[in-house]
């Protein structure tokens, strides 16, 4: 047996303790579980002040190029709120409109340069109309706010507050179908049972004398020999838009919320199903419907859910903007580029999509997003620890059009359907960390222990947190309006994955460059553009950026804005 040198061991232990203590000074970050918020490199890292609420104040975004007159447009950052899971104001465990009102300072404090608010510019509210289900996509009454969520007065107050802060509000409006508890459907069923052809609701819904219609789903009308169409669920009967009364009725619903409540527009659910499997009639319908609404509100914000190929989405652009589903999910453009992909291919794709959409409609916008309430949460496959969560945010927030953030994406909330037969796992409670009583939907099975990225409260004071990263990105985008509003021109570099684009608006041009690799990259801008830039005005990500003449040095997993 070897003799143990106790004196030597004591000396070594002292050295280890000294080094360990020396590495812990000046650290204002808060631990947030196993998926640690990505760390920035460099000894001269920026140190931010804390607000009275204990939140990092982002004060290093240059707003000298910010123009307030560029705010009144629809190329803005939206935030999807699944209302029942966001914030609970009355202790019943269900998120509500009053909860959103109470949390508005978190969303937007009305001060673009404050550095203490997420800074979103639009809100998409999931369905809030009366309904028997937690998701509310089966509407019982379009003129009544569901009791779980509040009142019409609450909605009016929310809209008024949003407008005061420069935020637009759109409602998730389901007009392809209603719920089977809707009085219209009850009248429809009664008319068919009694062969009451004079009943104005007899032809209100799609029906057939057979359930065997290829590619479509029909359910039997109780105590009758006929069947109603229900392609999504038996409790979601489909409206018949060949009936002029249906068209006018559903147009009146939208008019009411525009004129009486003051909302700014709508997200239209299942937009390609108005006429099942008939693209042409669908597009013509939406051209009519949106056209009628524009007579009331010329700057209305509308976006359709056309979950399909780019070709299909581009075709629908003739009538209304639609979400770009090819950008999101695990195999989408954002994710594949984020994971050390070639940015040159990404910006080329974006430019191509915009050009194709604008051939159909010169006012068309690209509507990028990573996930929504029908998809697995992105934090499960673009993790915070890998910095993929930050890189993905860079790619679509610092880009054209109107990007949509799914609530909680900015703090890395996880959630997936997995083997469970419920989307509730994708719609879990917002993790506030301050005693908010909001709970997961009753159908959810995704345990709290699987949430490892921390709460809002924990991320507030962590300058490297995903929340503060999103906050800074939105500030950069707002401070440089060319990014959202400018003519988009992709840059093409050879032998590198670094890529980006030029955006020109009102005679001014910026360049946005992304490095998705983990290592610093150097690119000579003169090989891709003749535009001269004086310097880097902003950067975001894991590292930093610098410009020496035409040569840009961009650290790994970092993006930069040049002017």
């Amino acid at each position: 047996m070897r003799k143990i040198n106790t004196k030597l061991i004591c000396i070594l232990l002292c050295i280890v303790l000294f080094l360990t203590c020396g590495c812990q000074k000046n650290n204002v970050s808060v631990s947030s579980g196993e998926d640690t918020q990505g760390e920035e490199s460099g000894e001269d890292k920026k140190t931010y002040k804390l607000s009275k609420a204990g939140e990092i104040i982002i004060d290093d975004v240059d707003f000298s190029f910010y123009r307030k007159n560029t705010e009144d447009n629809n190329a803005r950052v939206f935030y999807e709120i699944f209302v029942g899971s966001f914030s609970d104001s009355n202790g019943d465990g269900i998120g509500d409109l009053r909860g959103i009102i109470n949390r508005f300072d978190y969303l937007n404090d009305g001060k673009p340069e404050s550095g203490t608010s997420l800074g979103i510019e639009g809100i998409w509210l999931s369905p809030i109309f009366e309904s028997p289900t937690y998701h509310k996509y089966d509407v019982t009454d379009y003129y009544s706010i569901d009791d779980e969520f509040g009142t019409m007065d609450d909605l009016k107050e929310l809209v008024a507050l949003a407008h005061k802060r420069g935020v637009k509000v759109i409602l998730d409006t389901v007009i392809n179908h209603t719920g089977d508890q809707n009085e219209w459907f009850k009248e429809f069923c009664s008319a068919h049972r009694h062969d009451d052809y004079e009943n104005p609701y007899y032809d209100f819904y799609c029906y057939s004398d057979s359930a065997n219609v290829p590619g479509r789903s029909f359910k039997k009308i109780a105590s009758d020999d006929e069947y109603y169409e229900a392609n999504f669920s038996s409790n979601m009967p489909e409206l018949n838009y060949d009936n002029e009364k249906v068209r006018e009725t559903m147009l009146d619903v939208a008019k009411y919320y525009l004129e009486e409540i003051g909302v700014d527009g709508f997200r239209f659910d299942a937009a390609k199903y108005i006429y099942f499997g008939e693209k042409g009639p669908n597009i013509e319908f939406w051209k009519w419907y949106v056209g009628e609404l524009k007579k009331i509100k010329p700057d209305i914000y509308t976006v359709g859910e056309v979950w399909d190929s780019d070709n299909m989405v581009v075709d629908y652009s003739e009538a209304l903007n639609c979400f770009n589903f090819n950008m999101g999910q695990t195999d989408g453009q954002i994710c594949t580029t984020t994971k050390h992909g070639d940015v040159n291919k990404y910006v080329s794709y974006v430019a191509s999509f915009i050009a194709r959409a604008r051939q159909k409609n010169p006012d068309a916008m690209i509507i990028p997003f990573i996930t929504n309430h029908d998809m697995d949460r992105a934090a499960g496959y673009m993790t915070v620890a890998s910095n993929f969560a930050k890189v993905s945010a860079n790619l679509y927030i610092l880009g054209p059009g109107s990007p949509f953030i799914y609530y909680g994406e900015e703090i890395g909330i996880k959630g997936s359907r997995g083997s469970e037969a419920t989307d509730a796992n994708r719609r879990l409670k917002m993790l506030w960390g301050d005693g908010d009583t909001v709970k997961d939907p009753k159908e959810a099975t995704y345990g709290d222990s699987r949430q490892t990225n921390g709460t809002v409260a924990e991320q507030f004071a962590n300058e490297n947190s995903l929340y503060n990263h999103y906050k800074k990105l939105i500030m950069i985008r707002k401070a440089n309006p060319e990014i959202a509003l400018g003519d988009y021109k992709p840059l093409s570099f050879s032998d590198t994955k670094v890529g980006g684009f030029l955006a020109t608006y009102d005679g001014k041009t910026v360049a946005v460059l992304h490095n998705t690799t983990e290592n610093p990259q150097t690119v000579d801008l003169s090989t891709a553009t003749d535009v001269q830039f004086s310097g880097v005005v902003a950067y975001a990500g894991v590292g930093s950026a610098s410009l020496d003449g035409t040569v840009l040095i961009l650290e790994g997993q970092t993006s930069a804005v040049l002017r």
Side-chain angles (χ1 to χ4, degrees):
M1 181 180 293
R2 295 180 180 179
K3 184 176 180 181
I4 300 175
N5 190 330
T6 55
K7 183 176 181 181
L8 178 61
I9 291 175
C10 288
I11 292 173
L12 290 172
L13 285 173
C14 290
I15 292 173
V16 170
L17 288 171
F18 173 79
L19 291 173
T20 302
C21 292
C23 292
Q24 293 179 343
K25 62 181 180 179
N26 298 328
N27 186 354
V28 298
S29 299
V30 178
S31 174
S32 56
E34 67 182 48
D35 267 2
T36 57
Q37 305 290 339
E39 297 182 3
E40 295 187 24
S41 61
E43 295 181 0
D44 298 324
K45 184 176 66 174
K46 163 76 178 179
T47 300
Y48 295 100
K49 297 178 181 179
L50 294 178
S51 69
K52 291 181 180 179
E55 180 179 355
I56 288 289
I57 302 174
I58 303 294
D59 58 5
D60 57 348
V61 174
D62 184 357
F63 267 80
S64 60
F65 305 100
Y66 166 70
R67 283 164 283 171
K68 189 173 179 60
N69 64 355
T70 62
E71 290 187 7
D72 190 20
N73 63 80
N74 285 334
R76 52 184 59 220
V77 178
F78 265 80
Y79 188 83
E80 179 193 355
I81 295 178
F82 195 80
V83 178
S85 297
F86 192 65
S87 182
D88 174 25
S89 70
N90 58 8
D92 65 359
I94 300 171
D96 46 48
L97 296 175
R98 178 63 51 186
I100 299 172
I101 293 170
N102 294 343
R103 295 290 184 178
F104 218 92
D105 281 348
Y106 169 82
L107 298 169
N108 187 311
D109 61 6
K111 305 169 186 175
E113 301 177 52
S114 72
T116 56
S117 172
L118 184 58
I120 53 90
E121 301 157 315
I123 294 173
W124 158 18
L125 296 177
S126 64
I128 56 176
F129 309 131
E130 184 181 336
S131 161
T133 59
Y134 85 94
H135 55 71
K136 313 300 180 195
Y137 280 93
D138 51 341
V139 178
T140 299
D141 184 355
Y142 288 92
Y143 293 95
S144 177
I145 304 301
D146 195 283
D147 289 342
E148 291 183 338
F149 293 163
T151 67
M152 197 67 76
D153 285 339
D154 290 335
L155 179 59
K156 289 179 180 178
E157 183 179 343
L158 173 58
V159 170
L161 175 59
H163 289 171
K164 187 177 180 180
R165 304 271 177 100
V167 176
K168 293 194 174 186
V169 177
I170 64 173
L171 303 182
D172 200 331
T173 307
V174 189
I175 70 169
N176 173 71
H177 52 265
T178 71
D180 62 356
Q181 300 303 305
N182 194 297
E183 289 299 322
W184 305 339
F185 184 67
K186 292 179 180 179
E187 282 287 331
F188 164 83
C189 291
S190 175
H192 279 262
R193 280 194 294 267
H194 297 93
D195 294 328
D196 184 3
Y197 306 114
E198 300 301 317
N199 188 315
Y201 292 97
Y202 187 90
D203 290 322
F204 220 71
Y205 293 83
C206 298
Y207 67 93
S208 172
D209 58 5
S210 171
N212 299 316
V213 180
R216 301 165 78 162
S217 180
F218 284 80
K219 304 296 179 182
K220 195 173 187 301
I221 299 174
S223 303
D224 191 73
D225 294 329
E226 293 175 308
Y227 302 80
Y228 66 91
E229 187 169 10
N231 293 304
F232 288 90
S233 171
S234 61
N235 66 334
M236 296 179 179
E238 313 233 347
L239 289 162
N240 173 22
Y241 280 93
D242 282 333
N243 183 337
E244 192 63 29
K245 180 176 173 58
V246 173
R247 288 185 171 228
E248 294 301 327
T249 297
M250 297 314 296
L251 185 61
D252 286 344
V253 169
K255 286 181 177 179
Y256 172 80
Y257 286 96
L258 288 176
E259 295 177 324
E260 301 300 323
I261 308 302
V263 303
D264 300 282
F266 306 94
R267 178 264 186 184
F268 293 116
D269 182 69
K272 70 173 186 175
Y273 292 98
I274 298 296
Y275 291 95
F276 192 92
E278 299 183 65
K279 181 178 70 173
N282 279 327
I283 292 174
E284 288 304 313
F285 168 80
W286 286 114
K287 286 169 66 176
W288 167 77
Y289 194 85
V290 174
E292 291 298 308
L293 297 180
K294 285 183 176 180
K295 293 177 182 178
I296 299 170
K297 187 175 177 60
D299 65 341
I300 187 173
Y301 190 106
T302 58
V303 59
E305 181 200 26
V306 176
W307 196 333
D308 212 309
S309 68
D310 277 356
N311 288 339
M312 187 72 76
V313 171
V314 165
D315 285 341
Y316 274 84
S317 298
E318 183 180 353
L320 76 170
N321 289 313
C322 298
F323 289 108
N324 185 309
F325 281 85
N326 195 27
M327 298 281 277
Q329 305 179 85
T330 57
D331 58 351
Q333 294 286 336
I334 295 172
C335 182
T336 55
T337 306
T338 289
K339 296 183 175 181
H340 314 313
D342 188 345
V343 180
N344 293 284
K345 294 180 180 179
Y346 175 80
V347 295
S348 177
Y349 165 80
V350 172
S352 174
F353 180 89
I354 293 172
R356 292 174 61 201
R358 287 183 178 170
Q359 285 179 349
K360 298 285 186 179
N361 181 348
D363 296 324
M365 283 195 304
I366 190 169
I367 313 289
F369 70 105
I370 300 176
T371 60
N372 64 24
H373 61 281
D374 288 326
M375 301 173 180
D376 289 350
R377 287 281 191 170
Y381 54 86
M382 290 192 289
T383 65
V384 176
S386 65
N387 292 308
F388 289 156
K390 290 184 177 180
V391 175
S392 62
N394 288 5
L395 287 171
Y396 85 114
I397 299 297
L398 296 181
S402 184
F404 275 67
I405 302 167
Y406 185 34
Y407 81 97
E409 209 158 61
E410 76 278 15
I411 62 169
I413 286 181
K414 297 179 180 179
S416 62
R417 186 180 178 95
S419 60
E420 305 293 335
T422 176
D423 282 328
N425 288 347
R426 297 162 165 171
R427 306 160 181 176
L428 302 173
K429 66 188 175 195
M430 183 66 171
L431 301 176
W432 294 106
D434 60 2
D436 196 299
T437 51
V438 67
K439 297 179 180 178
D440 291 335
K442 291 180 180 179
E443 298 177 16
T445 60
Y446 198 94
D448 288 353
S449 62
R450 301 173 71 179
Q451 300 290 356
T452 59
N453 289 324
T455 64
V456 171
E458 290 172 325
Q459 293 194 32
F460 260 9
N462 181 350
E463 59 193 273
N464 297 323
S465 71
L466 187 59
Y467 164 72
N468 280 307
H469 180 75
Y470 263 89
K471 183 169 68 176
K472 184 174 184 179
L473 285 179
I474 296 172
M475 290 178 71
I476 292 172
R477 191 178 199 266
K478 202 171 189 71
N480 298 276
E482 296 86 358
I483 296 175
L485 301 173
D487 293 330
Y488 188 91
K489 181 181 179 181
L491 296 173
S492 179
F493 296 95
S494 301
D495 304 320
T496 179
K497 290 183 177 180
V498 172
F501 63 93
L502 302 178
T504 302
Y505 179 74
D506 198 21
K508 295 181 174 60
T509 299
V510 301
V512 178
L513 282 299
H514 305 288
N515 178 8
T516 59
T517 75
E518 294 183 353
N519 302 313
Q521 302 290 326
T522 300
V523 293
D524 188 342
L525 299 176
S526 67
T527 65
T529 179
D530 294 330
V531 178
Q532 300 293 313
F533 297 97
S534 59
V536 175
V537 294
Y539 61 84
V542 177
S544 61
S546 61
L547 183 66
D548 183 4
T550 63
V551 177
L552 174 69
I553 302 173
L554 193 56
E555 293 190 358
Q557 298 181 303
T558 301
S559 301
V561 179
L562 285 60
R563 300 191 77 100

